[in-house]
Each structure stands twice: as C-alpha cells, then as structure tokens.
Amino acid sequence: MVALAVVIILKGGALRPAPAPEMANPGNPGATGPAGQPPDISSMSPEERFNRLFDRVMRAAEAGDTGTVAQFSPMTLAAYGMLPDANADLRFHAALVRLTIADYDGALALADTILAQSPGHLFGYVIRGEVADRRNRMDDLTQSYRDFLQHYQTEVRSGRPEYTDHNPVVDNFRTRAEASTGKKP
C-alpha cells in the first residue's frame, strides 16, 4: 500500500483513494480516537515510530489531506532524526516526506546521502529526478534519468529488498526515464 502511495505522490497525486482510517491508537488497530489526534507512539521502537508516522503522512498526501500532512510531517521528520541508524529505505521515506512538503533541498540532501553511502542506489536518482521535475529543471531531470538507467541493471541484480518493496516506484521512474531519453537500461 505504501508503494502505491509513493507512486501516486511521485505522479502528482492524480488518483485519490478513500482516506485511511483514523490511527489514534496504532497499538490497537481497531481503536479509534478523535480526528487529528496523534497516534500513541511512545511504546514503539524509533523505526516503528518513524514508519507509522511516514505511513500516516503518505496516506494523507494521497487523499489530498493537506492539514494532516502539515500536522504530521514535522513529527515524522523528528522521528527520523531520532533513528539510531538509517538505511537507504528509511532515507528514501524521509525524502518522500520532504518532497511532499516541498522541502526540495532537504530531499536532495537525503538523495546525496543515499548515493554517498550506496553509490548507484536507484533511490538517490529517483529523489533527484523528482526534485528536478518539481523545480522544472529539465537538464537535471534528464541527468537523473541517465544516471538511473546507467545503474539500473546492476542495482536490480543486487537483490536489495527495498527495490522489491518499492517496485512500482522503481518501474514508474524507469518507464519515465526510458520515454524521456529513448534509452533502455
């Protein structure tokens, strides 16, 4: 579901599925609380907190709920900052939140970190491309597409689980890159 939300966010939110259920008490999925009340995340691990808040922001963005995005994005990024260690997937999620709130410099910084720690990682090029697209910087977007396609085969063969988890995002970006550049990976 998160992968679908990411694809929709990256495509500009063209589809608007029904809003997600209220998560007032995420430890008890059947429980609900007052609308807008933050989830009780005090007993979760730092990664669980970040992932729960990330899911909340992505679902809200997918549904066009800008109020929830505005309310929960700072909490999500604060939870990211409390992670003892962040891998490329967690950085990608934080970059998506930054894209959602139009913090393009923050998203680019995360893309650079992904690529510095994992040279050739496709998520770095996806984020760079999305920022370039939103800033209408066609030369930067084309370069992101080229870099993505140059590393695509090697990276997909690496078996990174995050590529499987975000297969729709990777496939969508590959399709756009191929269409734009006329090249195949």
Side-chain angles (χ1 to χ4, degrees):
M1 180 168 173
V2 172
L4 178 60
V6 170
V7 169
I8 291 168
I9 295 294
L10 294 178
K11 287 180 122 181
L15 303 174
R16 302 279 185 219
E22 181 63 37
M23 295 178 9
N25 184 357
N28 182 0
T32 59
Q37 179 179 340
D40 177 10
I41 58 176
S42 60
S43 63
M44 295 179 184
S45 73
E47 189 171 332
E48 288 172 324
R49 278 191 295 266
F50 172 69
N51 284 328
R52 181 62 61 112
L53 290 164
F54 167 76
D55 288 344
R56 177 87 184 240
V57 169
M58 290 297 104
R59 281 193 222 124
E62 189 178 345
D65 183 354
T66 57
T68 298
V69 169
Q71 179 182 2
F72 285 93
S73 292
M75 286 189 282
T76 305
L77 295 171
Y80 172 77
M82 291 182 220
L83 293 173
D85 189 31
N87 58 30
D89 191 48
L90 294 169
R91 285 185 178 90
F92 180 64
H93 290 177
L96 290 173
V97 172
R98 293 201 178 276
L99 278 171
T100 301
I101 60 172
D103 176 6
Y104 302 135
D105 290 337
L108 282 175
L110 287 161
D112 291 346
T113 302
I114 290 168
L115 290 167
Q117 293 193 338
S118 300
H121 200 292
L122 299 178
F123 288 174
Y125 306 120
V126 170
I127 295 300
R128 284 181 176 176
E130 291 304 323
V131 169
D133 190 34
R134 292 172 191 209
R135 286 181 165 169
N136 200 28
R137 294 183 180 165
M138 293 304 112
D139 290 343
D140 293 343
L141 178 58
T142 300
Q143 187 62 52
S144 295
Y145 286 154
R146 287 184 184 136
D147 292 341
F148 178 92
L149 292 173
Q150 177 185 349
H151 293 94
Y152 179 82
Q153 293 296 336
T154 302
E155 284 296 305
V156 169
R157 281 193 300 261
S158 74
R160 295 180 193 268
E162 60 265 33
Y163 294 151
T164 302
D165 294 344
H166 296 290
N167 190 49
V169 173
V170 172
D171 283 349
N172 175 274
F173 198 80
R174 180 182 48 84
T175 300
R176 290 169 44 207
E178 289 172 353
S180 175
T181 64
K183 297 180 182 180
K184 301 274 184 193

